[in-house]
Amino acid sequence: MSYIMESIKKAAEYVQGRLEGREPHVGIVLGSGLGKLADEIKDPLVIPYRDIPGFPVSTAIGHKGNFIVGTLGGKTVIAMQGRIHYYEGYEMNQVVLPIRVMICIGIKTLFVSNAAGGTNLDFKVGDLMIIKDHINLLPNPLIGPNLDELGPRFPDMTRPYAVALIKKAEAIAAEEGIALRKGVYVAVTGPSYETPAEYRYFRNIGADAVGMSTVPEVIVARHAGVPCFGMSVITDVAHATDEDDYVTDGEHIVKMANAAADRMSLIFARLIEEL
C-alpha cells in the first residue's frame, strides 16, 4: 500500500471513529465566506481538522477548518467548513485528502462551492453560478502512481458535474424565485488575484468564472465515481478592474459570499432532500 493510501485510511479511520454511528451519504465543501451553510446543519458534530492524523489545516480567510457532521435536507451529511488550497503550500495529495477521506467513509454525492471572480461580462456581484464544466490550470491531483483502490488510471471527465443534479437545481431555483447563472469555472493556483489581462485571457479560453480551488476536489471525486454538483458565488467581476481605483479585496469577497449564502443554502438543502 502506498504512503498516500495509508494516510487516507488512517485519517478516515479516525473520522469514522468520531461519527457516533452516523453514516454520511453526502459530502459538502464550503468555500470562502460560505461556511454559513454549516449553521443550517442540524444536530452538528464538529471534528476539527487539527485533531485528524496527518490532516492539513486550512489557513485561508473565512475557512474555519472543521468537519461538520449532521442532518441537512433530511440526509446525514459531512461538510468541510473550510477547504485546503494548493496556494497554502500543501502538496496536491494533501489538498484533496479531505475529499478522499469523505469517499472512504461512504459519501455517494459531493457538493462543492466557492467564491469566484466573474470573467463573463454579463455577470454581476452576488450572482450564483452553477458550474457546468471546468478548466484545470492547477496540477492534476491524480499525477503519480494511481490509487487503484479508489479509481482507474484514466478517469472519464466528459461530465464532471452531474447533469441530473444541474437540472434539478435549475428547477428548484425557478420554484424559489432564485436567479441562476450557469457557466465554466477555471481553477488557477493563486494566491494573487487576477490581473485585467488574465481576466481577458480566461474569458477568451471559455471561462465564465475564476477561482483557486474546487477542480482538484471534483477530479478525485470523479476518479472514485462520485457524482458532483458545484456552485460559485460571484464576488467580484472582470469589468470592474477597468476602473482606475479598483482593488480586489479578500475581506470584501468573504462579505459578498456571506450575503449569497442563504440562497445557495436553500438550493443545496432542497437538492440533498431530493437525492
Side-chain angles (χ1 to χ4, degrees):
M1 184 188 303
S2 71
Y3 79 93
I4 295 173
M5 201 66 223
E6 285 180 1
S7 66
I8 295 167
K9 290 194 172 184
K10 187 175 181 180
E13 285 172 4
Y14 176 86
V15 173
Q16 190 85 55
R18 292 283 302 273
L19 293 181
E20 301 175 352
R22 306 185 198 198
E23 298 181 1
H25 289 278
V26 179
I28 307 172
V29 184
L30 303 175
S32 298
L34 297 169
K36 187 178 178 182
L37 177 58
D39 298 336
E40 303 296 321
I41 296 174
K42 298 176 182 178
D43 191 21
L45 169 68
V46 179
I47 307 173
Y49 296 163
R50 64 177 179 273
D51 293 347
I52 304 172
F55 226 67
V57 177
S58 181
T59 64
I61 297 172
H63 294 250
K64 292 185 178 180
N66 300 311
F67 273 134
I68 309 290
V69 183
T71 304
L72 183 69
K75 304 288 195 308
T76 301
V77 304
I78 179 167
M80 290 179 63
Q81 195 177 26
R83 56 160 47 92
I84 312 302
H85 300 83
Y86 183 66
Y87 67 71
E88 294 174 81
Y90 292 112
E91 294 180 2
M92 193 54 78
N93 281 319
Q94 294 173 292
V95 171
V96 298
L97 176 60
I99 307 301
R100 284 172 163 162
V101 166
M102 291 194 288
I103 290 167
C104 284
I105 66 172
I107 66 163
K108 304 303 180 188
T109 310
L110 180 68
F111 287 71
V112 292
S113 66
N114 58 59
T119 59
N120 188 315
L121 296 180
D122 292 331
F123 286 6
K124 62 182 184 300
V125 172
D127 280 350
L128 293 180
M129 185 192 86
I130 291 175
I131 305 174
K132 66 178 182 180
D133 202 348
H134 66 233
I135 298 169
N136 186 34
L137 298 182
L138 282 163
N140 192 304
L142 302 182
I143 290 173
N146 186 53
L147 302 180
D148 295 331
E149 294 176 60
L150 296 180
R153 171 76 283 186
F154 301 106
D156 177 38
M157 294 296 292
T158 308
R159 284 169 292 278
Y161 303 89
V163 174
L165 290 176
I166 290 173
K167 289 180 179 178
K168 284 183 180 179
E170 290 176 317
I172 289 166
E175 289 174 14
E176 299 289 347
I178 299 172
L180 288 181
R181 304 285 192 172
K182 187 163 64 174
V184 176
Y185 175 90
V186 60
V188 297
T189 64
S192 54
Y193 290 116
E194 295 74 35
T195 67
E198 287 169 335
Y199 266 130
R200 290 192 296 273
Y201 168 68
F202 296 141
R203 184 165 60 251
N204 287 339
I205 65 171
D208 297 286
V210 57
M212 307 171 191
S213 65
T214 303
V215 172
E217 300 156 355
V218 170
I219 289 174
V220 297
R222 296 302 303 130
H223 176 243
V226 174
C228 299
F229 175 81
M231 183 169 284
S232 297
V233 178
I234 304 303
T235 52
D236 57 299
V237 287
H239 51 78
T241 62
D242 293 332
E243 301 169 13
D244 290 342
D245 60 349
Y246 180 81
V247 175
T248 307
D249 180 89
E251 297 287 351
H252 176 73
I253 285 172
V254 170
K255 182 179 179 181
M256 292 298 100
N258 266 323
D262 289 341
R263 286 176 289 140
M264 191 190 72
S265 297
L266 176 59
I267 292 170
F268 273 32
R270 287 277 312 272
L271 266 178
I272 291 169
E273 187 177 350
E274 294 186 19
L275 286 176

